Amino acid sequence: MRILLTNDDGIYAKGIEVLHEQLSKDHDVVVVAPETEQSAVGHAITLTDPLRVKSINRNETFFGYAVKGTPADCVKLAINELMKPPPDLVVSGINLGANVGINVIYSGTVSAATEGTILGVPAIAVSINTFRDPDFRPAARFTRLLVRQVREHGLPPYTSLNVNVPAISESKIRGVRVTRQGVTRFVEKFDRRIDPRENVYYWQCGSNPPLEEDGDTDASALANDCISITPIQHDLTNYDFLESLRSWSFPKVSDS
Ligand code: MN
Protein backbone atom coordinates (compact mmCIF):
# COMPACT_ATOMS: atom_id res chain seq x y z
CA MET A 1 0.00 0.00 0.00
CA ARG A 2 0.93 3.63 -0.29
CA ILE A 3 0.85 5.16 3.18
CA LEU A 4 0.93 8.81 4.19
CA LEU A 5 2.75 8.98 7.53
CA THR A 6 2.42 12.10 9.67
CA ASN A 7 2.43 13.16 13.34
CA ASP A 8 2.08 16.20 15.60
CA ASP A 9 5.43 15.97 17.40
CA GLY A 10 7.24 17.17 14.30
CA ILE A 11 9.23 15.44 11.57
CA TYR A 12 12.32 15.06 13.77
CA ALA A 13 10.47 13.15 16.53
CA LYS A 14 11.59 9.64 17.43
CA GLY A 15 8.07 8.17 17.22
CA ILE A 16 7.64 8.90 13.51
CA GLU A 17 11.12 7.57 12.73
CA VAL A 18 10.50 4.22 14.43
CA LEU A 19 7.07 3.87 12.81
CA HIS A 20 8.55 4.76 9.39
CA GLU A 21 11.11 1.98 9.81
CA GLN A 22 8.42 -0.62 10.59
CA LEU A 23 5.86 0.39 7.96
CA SER A 24 8.51 0.68 5.22
CA LYS A 25 9.07 -3.10 5.52
CA ASP A 26 5.70 -3.73 3.83
CA HIS A 27 4.69 -0.45 2.23
CA ASP A 28 5.59 2.57 0.19
CA VAL A 29 5.63 5.24 2.93
CA VAL A 30 5.59 8.99 2.27
CA VAL A 31 6.29 11.22 5.29
CA VAL A 32 4.63 14.65 5.37
CA ALA A 33 4.86 16.08 8.89
CA PRO A 34 5.02 19.43 10.69
CA GLU A 35 8.43 21.09 10.75
CA THR A 36 8.07 21.77 14.49
CA GLU A 37 6.06 20.27 17.32
CA GLN A 38 2.31 20.90 16.95
CA SER A 39 0.96 18.96 19.93
CA ALA A 40 -2.51 20.01 21.14
CA VAL A 41 -3.31 22.15 18.10
CA GLY A 42 -6.37 19.99 17.46
CA HIS A 43 -7.82 20.28 13.97
CA ALA A 44 -6.45 23.76 13.24
CA ILE A 45 -5.52 24.70 9.68
CA THR A 46 -3.35 27.57 8.46
CA LEU A 47 -5.00 30.20 6.28
CA THR A 48 -3.09 33.43 6.92
CA ASP A 49 0.45 32.13 6.28
CA PRO A 50 1.98 30.18 3.40
CA LEU A 51 2.60 26.44 3.79
CA ARG A 52 6.32 26.12 3.09
CA VAL A 53 7.61 22.63 2.33
CA LYS A 54 11.17 21.35 2.81
CA SER A 55 12.72 18.00 1.93
CA ILE A 56 14.29 16.49 5.04
CA ASN A 57 17.07 13.92 5.34
CA ARG A 58 17.52 11.72 8.37
CA ASN A 59 20.56 9.44 8.66
CA GLU A 60 21.77 10.97 5.38
CA THR A 61 18.86 9.64 3.32
CA PHE A 62 15.66 11.34 2.19
CA PHE A 63 13.08 10.95 4.97
CA GLY A 64 10.14 13.13 3.98
CA TYR A 65 8.57 16.56 3.66
CA ALA A 66 8.48 19.05 6.52
CA VAL A 67 5.58 21.51 6.37
CA LYS A 68 5.44 24.80 8.21
CA GLY A 69 1.89 24.08 9.35
CA THR A 70 -0.37 21.92 11.47
CA PRO A 71 -0.99 18.16 11.25
CA ALA A 72 -4.31 18.76 9.44
CA ASP A 73 -2.47 21.06 6.97
CA CYS A 74 0.04 18.26 6.31
CA VAL A 75 -2.69 15.76 5.46
CA LYS A 76 -4.60 18.21 3.25
CA LEU A 77 -1.45 19.24 1.39
CA ALA A 78 -0.21 15.67 1.01
CA ILE A 79 -3.50 14.34 -0.35
CA ASN A 80 -4.22 17.30 -2.63
CA GLU A 81 -0.73 18.13 -3.91
CA LEU A 82 2.26 16.09 -2.75
CA MET A 83 0.94 12.54 -3.28
CA LYS A 84 -0.63 11.72 -6.59
CA PRO A 85 -2.57 9.46 -6.66
CA PRO A 86 -3.74 9.87 -3.05
CA PRO A 87 -2.54 7.38 -0.41
CA ASP A 88 -4.42 4.19 0.52
CA LEU A 89 -4.02 4.89 4.23
CA VAL A 90 -3.05 7.74 6.59
CA VAL A 91 -1.08 6.77 9.71
CA SER A 92 -0.43 9.42 12.37
CA GLY A 93 2.10 8.91 15.17
CA ILE A 94 3.58 7.49 17.19
CA ASN A 95 2.62 10.32 19.52
CA LEU A 96 4.52 10.88 22.74
CA GLY A 97 1.68 10.79 25.28
CA ALA A 98 -1.68 8.99 25.33
CA ASN A 99 -4.65 10.43 23.43
CA VAL A 100 -7.61 9.14 25.42
CA GLY A 101 -10.89 10.58 26.69
CA ILE A 102 -11.56 14.30 26.24
CA ASN A 103 -7.90 14.84 25.30
CA VAL A 104 -8.70 13.36 21.88
CA ILE A 105 -10.40 16.69 21.03
CA TYR A 106 -7.13 18.64 21.47
CA SER A 107 -4.94 16.08 19.77
CA GLY A 108 -3.08 17.02 16.59
CA THR A 109 -2.22 13.33 16.14
CA VAL A 110 -5.86 12.27 16.11
CA SER A 111 -6.92 15.27 13.99
CA ALA A 112 -4.45 14.27 11.27
CA ALA A 113 -6.14 10.86 11.10
CA THR A 114 -9.60 12.46 11.13
CA GLU A 115 -8.56 14.74 8.26
CA GLY A 116 -7.61 11.64 6.26
CA THR A 117 -11.11 10.19 6.68
CA ILE A 118 -12.74 13.53 5.77
CA LEU A 119 -10.80 13.39 2.50
CA GLY A 120 -11.88 9.78 1.91
CA VAL A 121 -8.72 7.98 3.05
CA PRO A 122 -8.92 5.45 5.93
CA ALA A 123 -6.70 6.37 8.87
CA ILE A 124 -5.07 5.21 12.09
CA ALA A 125 -3.73 7.41 14.94
CA VAL A 126 -1.20 5.83 17.31
CA SER A 127 -0.03 7.14 20.69
CA ILE A 128 2.09 5.75 23.53
CA ASN A 129 1.19 6.28 27.17
CA THR A 130 4.22 8.18 28.44
CA PHE A 131 5.97 11.51 27.95
CA ARG A 132 9.39 10.11 28.89
CA ASP A 133 11.67 8.65 26.22
CA PRO A 134 9.90 5.31 25.57
CA ASP A 135 10.84 2.31 23.48
CA PHE A 136 8.52 2.98 20.51
CA ARG A 137 9.22 -0.39 18.88
CA PRO A 138 6.38 -2.45 20.47
CA ALA A 139 3.83 0.19 19.38
CA ALA A 140 5.38 0.39 15.89
CA ARG A 141 5.35 -3.40 15.45
CA PHE A 142 1.73 -3.53 16.59
CA THR A 143 0.81 -0.77 14.14
CA ARG A 144 2.39 -2.74 11.31
CA LEU A 145 0.15 -5.73 12.16
CA LEU A 146 -2.91 -3.50 12.55
CA VAL A 147 -2.31 -1.99 9.09
CA ARG A 148 -2.57 -5.51 7.66
CA GLN A 149 -5.94 -5.95 9.39
CA VAL A 150 -7.21 -2.60 8.13
CA ARG A 151 -6.21 -3.61 4.61
CA GLU A 152 -8.08 -6.91 5.01
CA HIS A 153 -11.28 -5.58 6.64
CA GLY A 154 -11.40 -1.95 5.47
CA LEU A 155 -12.98 0.80 7.60
CA PRO A 156 -16.39 2.45 7.25
CA PRO A 157 -16.48 5.96 5.73
CA TYR A 158 -15.39 8.82 8.04
CA THR A 159 -14.07 6.35 10.61
CA SER A 160 -10.53 6.15 11.93
CA LEU A 161 -8.91 4.00 14.61
CA ASN A 162 -7.52 5.75 17.67
CA VAL A 163 -4.86 3.42 19.06
CA ASN A 164 -3.15 3.85 22.44
CA VAL A 165 -0.34 1.57 23.52
CA PRO A 166 0.96 1.13 27.10
CA ALA A 167 4.61 2.13 27.52
CA ILE A 168 5.74 -1.31 28.70
CA SER A 169 7.58 -4.22 27.10
CA GLU A 170 5.70 -6.44 24.64
CA SER A 171 5.73 -9.39 27.07
CA LYS A 172 3.90 -7.30 29.68
CA ILE A 173 1.14 -6.06 27.35
CA ARG A 174 -1.91 -8.11 28.38
CA GLY A 175 -3.96 -7.83 25.21
CA VAL A 176 -5.92 -5.62 22.87
CA ARG A 177 -9.27 -4.08 23.85
CA VAL A 178 -11.77 -2.43 21.55
CA THR A 179 -12.97 0.52 23.61
CA ARG A 180 -15.10 3.65 23.60
CA GLN A 181 -13.79 7.16 24.17
CA GLY A 182 -13.88 7.93 27.90
CA VAL A 183 -13.93 11.21 29.81
CA THR A 184 -10.33 11.42 31.03
CA ARG A 185 -9.08 14.94 30.67
CA PHE A 186 -6.18 17.22 31.30
CA VAL A 187 -6.89 19.15 34.53
CA GLU A 188 -5.81 22.76 34.13
CA LYS A 189 -3.60 24.66 36.48
CA PHE A 190 -2.12 28.05 35.68
CA ASP A 191 1.25 29.06 37.00
CA ARG A 192 1.04 32.83 37.59
CA ARG A 193 4.38 34.48 36.94
CA ILE A 194 5.88 37.92 36.58
CA ASP A 195 8.15 38.87 33.69
CA PRO A 196 11.26 41.11 33.98
CA ARG A 197 9.08 44.15 33.16
CA GLU A 198 6.73 43.27 36.01
CA ASN A 199 3.86 42.17 33.77
CA VAL A 200 1.83 39.21 34.97
CA TYR A 201 1.63 36.19 32.66
CA TYR A 202 0.35 32.64 32.97
CA TRP A 203 1.79 29.30 32.00
CA GLN A 204 -0.70 26.46 31.58
CA CYS A 205 0.74 23.51 33.47
CA GLY A 206 -2.09 21.08 34.22
CA SER A 207 -1.75 17.37 34.64
CA ASN A 208 -3.50 14.20 33.63
CA PRO A 209 -5.24 12.48 36.56
CA PRO A 210 -4.58 8.75 37.05
CA LEU A 211 -6.33 6.63 34.39
CA GLU A 212 -9.70 5.17 35.42
CA GLU A 213 -9.48 1.41 35.84
CA ASP A 214 -13.08 0.28 35.32
CA GLY A 215 -15.30 0.15 32.28
CA ASP A 216 -14.81 -0.26 28.58
CA THR A 217 -13.04 3.03 27.93
CA ASP A 218 -9.76 3.83 26.20
CA ALA A 219 -8.15 4.94 29.48
CA SER A 220 -9.22 1.81 31.39
CA ALA A 221 -7.57 -0.38 28.76
CA LEU A 222 -4.27 1.46 29.32
CA ALA A 223 -4.70 1.26 33.11
CA ASN A 224 -4.99 -2.52 32.70
CA ASP A 225 -1.85 -2.75 30.54
CA CYS A 226 -3.85 -3.38 27.36
CA ILE A 227 -3.66 -1.72 23.95
CA SER A 228 -6.80 0.36 23.32
CA ILE A 229 -8.43 0.69 19.89
CA THR A 230 -11.38 3.09 19.59
CA PRO A 231 -13.24 3.62 16.32
CA ILE A 232 -13.84 7.39 16.10
CA GLN A 233 -15.51 9.87 13.75
CA HIS A 234 -15.79 13.62 13.36
CA ASP A 235 -19.63 13.81 13.60
CA LEU A 236 -20.37 15.57 16.92
CA THR A 237 -24.18 15.30 16.63
CA ASN A 238 -25.97 14.01 19.73
CA TYR A 239 -28.39 11.64 17.95
CA ASP A 240 -30.14 10.61 21.18
CA PHE A 241 -31.23 14.21 21.72
CA LEU A 242 -32.06 15.06 18.10
CA GLU A 243 -35.73 14.00 18.13
CA SER A 244 -36.40 15.53 21.49
CA LEU A 245 -34.88 18.86 20.36
CA ARG A 246 -37.13 18.79 17.28
CA SER A 247 -40.15 18.62 19.58
CA TRP A 248 -39.32 21.98 21.16
CA SER A 249 -41.51 24.80 19.95
CA PHE A 250 -39.13 27.44 18.76
CA PRO A 251 -40.26 31.07 18.56
CA LYS A 252 -40.41 32.72 15.16
CA VAL A 253 -37.41 35.00 14.79
CA SER A 254 -39.76 37.91 14.06
CA ASP A 255 -41.44 37.41 17.50
CA SER A 256 -38.26 37.85 19.46
MN1 MN B 1 2.21 15.23 20.28
Side-chain angles (χ1 to χ4, degrees), residues 8-9 39 95 109:
D8 79 0
D9 294 333
S39 292
N95 185 62
T109 304

Tab-separated table of all heavy atoms in Angstrom, residues 8-9 39 95 109, ligand 1:
chain	number	residue	atom	x	y	z
A	8	ASP	N	2.165	14.813	15.112
A	8	ASP	CA	2.080	16.203	15.596
A	8	ASP	C	3.293	16.589	16.432
A	8	ASP	O	3.387	17.714	16.902
A	8	ASP	CB	0.752	16.486	16.331
A	8	ASP	CG	0.724	15.966	17.758
A	8	ASP	OD1	1.715	15.365	18.230
A	8	ASP	OD2	-0.308	16.173	18.416
A	9	ASP	N	4.227	15.656	16.627
A	9	ASP	CA	5.434	15.969	17.404
A	9	ASP	C	6.539	16.531	16.523
A	9	ASP	O	7.616	16.872	17.003
A	9	ASP	CB	5.928	14.708	18.133
A	9	ASP	CG	4.938	14.251	19.192
A	9	ASP	OD1	4.196	15.099	19.718
A	9	ASP	OD2	4.902	13.047	19.496
A	39	SER	N	1.841	19.686	19.012
A	39	SER	CA	0.960	18.962	19.926
A	39	SER	C	-0.150	19.881	20.415
A	39	SER	O	0.071	21.072	20.630
A	39	SER	CB	1.755	18.435	21.124
A	39	SER	OG	2.638	17.426	20.708
A	95	ASN	N	2.585	9.136	18.673
A	95	ASN	CA	2.618	10.322	19.520
A	95	ASN	C	3.216	10.014	20.891
A	95	ASN	O	2.936	8.977	21.486
A	95	ASN	CB	1.198	10.861	19.714
A	95	ASN	CG	1.209	12.167	20.478
A	95	ASN	OD1	1.773	13.140	20.008
A	95	ASN	ND2	0.634	12.190	21.669
A	109	THR	N	-2.426	14.685	16.677
A	109	THR	CA	-2.216	13.331	16.139
A	109	THR	C	-3.531	12.747	15.635
A	109	THR	O	-3.622	12.240	14.509
A	109	THR	CB	-1.667	12.410	17.263
A	109	THR	OG1	-0.496	12.996	17.788
A	109	THR	CG2	-1.379	11.023	16.768
B	1	MN	MN	2.211	15.234	20.284
